[in-house]
């Protein structure tokens, strides 16, 4: 069976993962996930697999099959973050058990573990593919240098204020951290001899009155436009122009918390997931809702989209 060119998946507190036709809004497949809620979904760069981060495991599904082909099991609490290295050779995860882990997809077990000492809410991979950045419940941001196998940098933007979400610009020039007070901290990443140890404070953005549950910078093919999307408990998503951090648009339509968002590969669209049970497709140029994905029976808390080309095999 061939891979669809656009893969859109959502997961909900109703213990299902759903796959959607992005244009028509039709749900064409539902995977039952009885073991736990799914906190995060991520699609591999080659579009062959979907990772579902649950409690306390991560399950890897073939995109065309309903049963997991692999389970990654050494976390001991909710896995809040999951992602892949650009070639899809390894996966990283962050959990409320206070650890960040690295998994070789071709081998069983966890290859590396880093101790954050507080529940990890978010982990992102720097585009250089050699550093992970984590944010935790106590407000710590840490850079894990995979080459040196150690923590190379530690920041606390706001003491005792949980860092909910981190995002890095595709070229490695900026990092944004969003917290429970509705604030985004923006740093310029200065390339020293150590690629990323220098965080230069650039901006503090009071984006929402409620929690920010997800922040996301726009992808490479969105250039020359650069946006920051912030999804909030106030039921809106705001789109900020990275040049000056001015508010471009407010996406209004969800009725409850907006937990997750993902850009299309060209940055022309945004997909969002909400406690109102729906996921929605938005036009970035108009700020208007273009499609509502309805089918989940409880809060939809994460979404994953892959509408780009697979990496060419060398």
């Amino acid at each position: 069976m061939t891979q669809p060119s656009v893969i859109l998946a959502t997961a909900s507190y109703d213990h299902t993962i759903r796959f959607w036709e992005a244009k028509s809004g039709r749900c064409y497949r539902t995977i039952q996930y009885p073991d736990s809620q799914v906190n995060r979904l991520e699609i591999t760069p080659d579009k062959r697999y979907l990772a579902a981060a649950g409690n306390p495991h991560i399950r890897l599904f073939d995109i065309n099959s309903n049963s997991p082909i692999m389970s990654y099991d050494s976390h001991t609490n909710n896995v809040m973050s999951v992602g892949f290295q650009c070639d899809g050779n390894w996966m990283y995860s962050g959990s409320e058990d206070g650890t960040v882990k690295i998994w070789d997809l071709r081998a069983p077990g966890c290859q590396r573990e880093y101790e954050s000492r507080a529940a990890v809410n978010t982990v992102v991979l720097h585009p250089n593919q050699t550093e992970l950045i984590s944010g935790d419940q106590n407000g710590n941001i840490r850079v894990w240098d995979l080459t040196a196998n150690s923590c190379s940098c530690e920041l606390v933007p706001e003491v005792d204020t949980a860092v909910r979400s981190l995002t890095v610009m595709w070229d490695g020039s900026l990092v944004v951290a969003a917290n429970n007070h509705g604030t985004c901290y923006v740093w310029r990443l200065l390339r020293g001899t150590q690629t990323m140890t220098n965080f230069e404070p650039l901006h503090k953005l009071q984006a929402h009155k409620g929690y920010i549950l997800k922040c996301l910078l726009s992808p490479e093919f969105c250039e020359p436009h650069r946006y920051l999307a912030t999804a909030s408990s106030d039921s809106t998503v705001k789109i900020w122009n990275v040049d000056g951090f001015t508010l471009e648009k407010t996406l209004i339509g969800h009725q409850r918390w907006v937990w997750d968002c993902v850009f299309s590969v060209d940055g022309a669209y945004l997909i969002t997931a909400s406690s109102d049970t729906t996921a929605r497709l938005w036009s970035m140029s108009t700020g208007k809702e273009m499609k509502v994905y309805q089918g989940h029976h409880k809060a939809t808390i994460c979404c994953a989209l892959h509408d780009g080309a697979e990496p060419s095999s060398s």
Side-chain angles (χ1 to χ4, degrees), residues 126-143:
H126 188 281
N128 64 22
Q129 307 296 304
T130 64
E131 283 157 313
L132 288 171
I133 312 172
S134 67
D136 71 27
Q137 195 65 19
N138 290 358
N140 304 297
I141 295 170
R142 292 192 175 91
V143 180

Side-chain angles (χ1 to χ4, degrees), residues 212-225:
I212 299 175
L213 304 167
K214 173 84 173 198
C215 64
L216 189 62
L217 287 160
S218 55
E220 178 178 0
F221 298 116
C222 187
E223 297 289 318
H225 303 293

Side-chain angles (χ1 to χ4, degrees), residues 13 40 164 213-214 231 257-261 273-275 300-301:
Y13 282 150
R40 185 67 60 207
R164 291 302 289 250
L213 304 167
K214 173 84 173 198
W257 292 27
V258 186
W259 285 98
D260 200 7
C261 62
S274 166
S275 292
T300 303
I301 47 173

Side-chain angles (χ1 to χ4, degrees), residues 67-68 101 104 128 133 138 154 214 227 277 283 289 297 313:
S67 50
K101 293 181 189 259
D104 185 326
N128 64 22
I133 312 172
N138 290 358
E154 213 165 306
K214 173 84 173 198
Y227 299 115
T277 75
S283 160
E289 179 188 287
H297 307 302
S313 48

Side-chain angles (χ1 to χ4, degrees), residues 53-265:
N55 185 2
H57 42 253
I58 303 162
R59 299 269 155 83
L60 197 66
F61 291 85
D62 185 299
I63 284 293
N64 295 316
S65 145
N66 279 17
S67 50
I69 56 158
M70 193 74 146
S71 187
Y72 302 90
D73 292 328
S74 75
H75 281 300
T76 57
N77 206 330
N78 268 308
V79 182
M80 301 303 288
S81 199
V82 65
F84 296 96
Q85 176 254 1
C86 64
D87 298 326
N89 293 332
W90 49 268
M91 175 174 75
Y92 59 88
S93 60
S95 164
E96 288 182 343
D97 66 13
T99 65
V100 173
K101 293 181 189 259
I102 291 180
W103 316 77
D104 185 326
L105 291 180
R106 298 154 300 184
C110 154
Q111 273 61 50
R112 291 196 196 175
E113 178 177 309
Y114 300 107
E115 187 63 59
S116 185
R117 302 190 295 279
V120 176
N121 293 325
T122 175
V123 184
V124 287
L125 177 62
H126 188 281
N128 64 22
Q129 307 296 304
T130 64
E131 283 157 313
L132 288 171
I133 312 172
S134 67
D136 71 27
Q137 195 65 19
N138 290 358
N140 304 297
I141 295 170
R142 292 192 175 91
V143 180
W144 308 95
D145 182 330
L146 305 184
T147 312
N149 205 18
S150 64
C151 177
S152 61
C153 179
E154 213 165 306
L155 287 172
V156 185
E158 218 172 301
V159 178
D160 290 335
T161 304
V163 176
R164 291 302 289 250
S165 183
L166 287 164
T167 179
V168 183
M169 187 60 85
W170 63 270
D171 61 0
S173 61
L174 293 179
V175 63
V176 181
N179 72 18
N180 268 356
H181 289 164
T183 310
C184 283
Y185 288 87
V186 186
W187 294 271
R188 199 181 270 115
L189 295 179
L190 301 178
R191 287 187 179 79
T193 43
Q194 300 294 99
T195 323
M196 256 195 58
T197 35
N198 296 335
F199 279 61
E200 181 187 89
L202 183 66
H203 196 75
K204 181 181 173 182
L205 176 68
Q206 192 55 50
H208 296 267
K209 288 195 171 74
Y211 303 137
I212 299 175
L213 304 167
K214 173 84 173 198
C215 64
L216 189 62
L217 287 160
S218 55
E220 178 178 0
F221 298 116
C222 187
E223 297 289 318
H225 303 293
R226 291 188 162 200
Y227 299 115
L228 171 69
T230 55
S232 171
S233 61
D234 67 12
S235 79
T236 70
V237 178
K238 291 183 179 178
I239 308 298
W240 308 85
N241 190 325
V242 170
D243 183 21
F245 291 93
T246 50
L247 181 63
E248 287 266 320
K249 295 181 177 72
T250 303
L251 310 184
I252 295 170
H254 280 300
Q255 305 300 310
R256 295 193 181 169
W257 292 27
V258 186
W259 285 98
D260 200 7
C261 62
V262 58
F263 281 104
S264 62
V265 69

